[in-house]
Amino acid sequence: MRVIEISEPGGPEVLRLVERERPAPGPGEVLIRVIAAGVNRPDVQQRRGLYPPPPGASDIPGLDIAGIVEAVGPGVTSPAPGDPVCALANGGGYADYCCVPAPQCLPVPDGLSFIEAASLPEVYFTAWNNLIWLARLAEGETLLIQGGTSGVGLAGIQIARVLRNATVYATAGTEEKRAVCRDVGAAAAVDYRGAWDDEIRALTGGRGVDVILDAQAGPYTQRQLDLLDADGRLVFIASHLGPTAEVNIRQIVRRRLTLTGSTLRPRDAAYKGRIGAELVDQVWPLLTSGQIETRIHAVVPFEEVAAAHTILDENLQIGKVVLALVPDLAASVPTGPDRAASA
């Protein structure tokens, strides 16, 4: 099968198309014929040598895929061979075939193509884990998402708006990106290069926000703690501006603030499976109805993976970049096992 290897840490040029043996599914695993694969920030960090795969995971990048179940391992009753699925992989998504724990496989939402389905798992699992589970976002609360037009940002804005009736604010670097944030439901979007904290504070009448979702950390940390209302929660999903920060602990104690973070990739299949079940129950119907949407910035042929990474390196994307491994099927809408088997 074709796979994309990282030859050494570096820029997009270190991504190389090579051949490897097709994997076989182990106990509890599903082998998926990959039709489309999402490109995510963790893939870029892994390519740069900053995000090594957890023990036991594939060295091949790629965390979300969509395709057709080819085979199942011992103990798997669902999904079944021929089923169209999207899945949160532990790695190995940039390949013609990928093994994934069965609980991390979800049905393709009705009416969505394989391209659209491949854009979903990593960002929706991440948004749900951090906003709903860790931040405990409640009905009618106020949320700030740093980087509103990232895949996670767009998913988070819509989950918060539609399922929690939250007032959502976002940051983004261009007016085009800020307009997209507003288009998907943000009450306002501000430039992260300016006095974004003062602008959000003014928009909330000085109250601040209940929850902040951030991937920057570093010097942003205390500014964000200052922006939280009492009992507020700050959740980190990365630390692009620096791994350390000086914070006012006394303020955290007095105002009952929560500062936490998460990395989903090393969590076990049971944990991810519980998130997946909630997504299928609460979010997938909204994707089918159009109340929540996925935005595709670019579809790139598998062989041009370096171009896909360059888009993320230059921070040009609004939504998801997706690799098409099987171009004649990638844009099609699966209709079930019979359609998938005939393909």
Side-chain angles (χ1 to χ4, degrees):
M1 67 172 184
R2 301 172 302 164
V3 309
I4 300 296
E5 285 186 344
I6 300 171
S7 61
E8 60 183 344
E13 71 280 356
V14 306
L15 299 169
R16 296 184 180 175
L17 181 65
V18 300
E19 290 194 358
R20 289 191 186 181
E21 291 294 320
R22 182 188 304 184
E29 289 186 332
V30 169
L31 178 66
I32 298 171
R33 178 195 179 198
V34 180
I35 293 174
V39 179
N40 296 291
R41 189 66 59 184
D43 305 339
V44 171
Q45 294 297 84
Q46 181 177 336
R47 188 204 75 216
R48 292 171 174 167
L50 303 175
Y51 186 49
S58 172
D59 65 305
I60 300 168
L63 299 179
D64 49 9
I65 58 176
I68 298 165
V69 175
E70 182 81 5
V72 300
V76 175
T77 57
S78 179
D83 285 349
V85 296
C86 55
L88 180 69
N90 298 331
Y94 291 11
D96 284 321
Y97 292 88
C98 181
C99 286
V100 180
Q104 296 169 212
C105 297
L106 311 181
V108 174
D110 290 343
L112 270 65
S113 68
F114 284 110
I115 288 289
E116 292 168 316
S119 74
L120 301 176
E122 197 270 342
V123 296
Y124 276 92
F125 272 82
T126 300
W128 195 267
N129 181 52
N130 288 283
L131 289 179
I132 304 303
W133 283 19
L134 294 184
R136 309 179 306 280
L137 184 67
E139 179 75 15
E141 286 195 314
T142 304
L143 165 68
L144 169 63
I145 294 182
Q146 299 277 18
T149 54
S150 68
V152 173
L154 291 173
I157 289 170
Q158 295 180 90
I159 286 172
R161 176 182 56 83
V162 177
L163 291 173
R164 291 295 185 269
N165 193 31
T167 299
V168 185
Y169 302 104
T171 61
T174 68
E175 180 50 39
E176 180 187 11
K177 290 184 175 184
R178 292 191 288 274
V180 170
C181 293
R182 295 189 294 268
D183 186 49
V184 299
V190 302
D191 192 337
Y192 63 78
R193 292 167 299 191
W196 50 267
D197 43 354
D198 289 337
E199 291 186 63
I200 298 298
R201 192 173 287 109
L203 287 166
T204 60
R207 173 182 173 273
V209 297
D210 299 299
V211 173
I212 299 174
L213 180 66
D214 178 47
Q216 304 308 316
Y220 274 27
T221 304
Q222 186 58 52
R223 292 171 69 183
Q224 293 180 128
L225 291 171
D226 290 341
L227 188 57
L228 288 173
D229 196 5
D231 297 300
R233 289 86 73 197
L234 169 58
V235 183
F236 290 115
I237 56 174
S239 54
H240 298 311
L241 290 182
T244 63
E246 183 175 329
V247 300
N248 185 333
I249 301 298
R250 185 170 296 171
Q251 180 191 70
I252 293 174
V253 172
R254 286 178 174 174
R255 297 171 51 225
R256 304 178 302 278
L257 305 180
T258 298
L259 192 160
T260 187
S262 74
T263 302
L264 185 58
R265 191 175 183 184
R267 300 303 297 254
D268 61 30
Y271 183 94
K272 296 172 188 173
R274 291 193 296 273
I275 296 176
E278 292 189 8
L279 289 173
V280 171
D281 179 57
Q282 299 186 51
V283 176
W284 265 218
L286 300 172
L287 285 160
T288 294
S289 69
Q291 292 174 267
I292 285 179
E293 63 181 37
T294 182
R295 294 214 172 196
I296 306 299
H297 178 84
V299 179
V300 179
F302 187 52
E303 298 81 1
E304 299 174 22
V305 60
H309 272 237
T310 298
I311 293 172
L312 269 69
D313 278 0
E314 297 178 357
N315 201 29
L316 299 175
Q317 76 281 4
I318 299 177
K320 287 298 288 283
V321 176
V322 178
L323 299 174
L325 282 79
V326 187
D328 58 329
L329 287 180
S332 65
V333 176
T335 57
D338 292 340
R339 160 66 179 83
S342 67

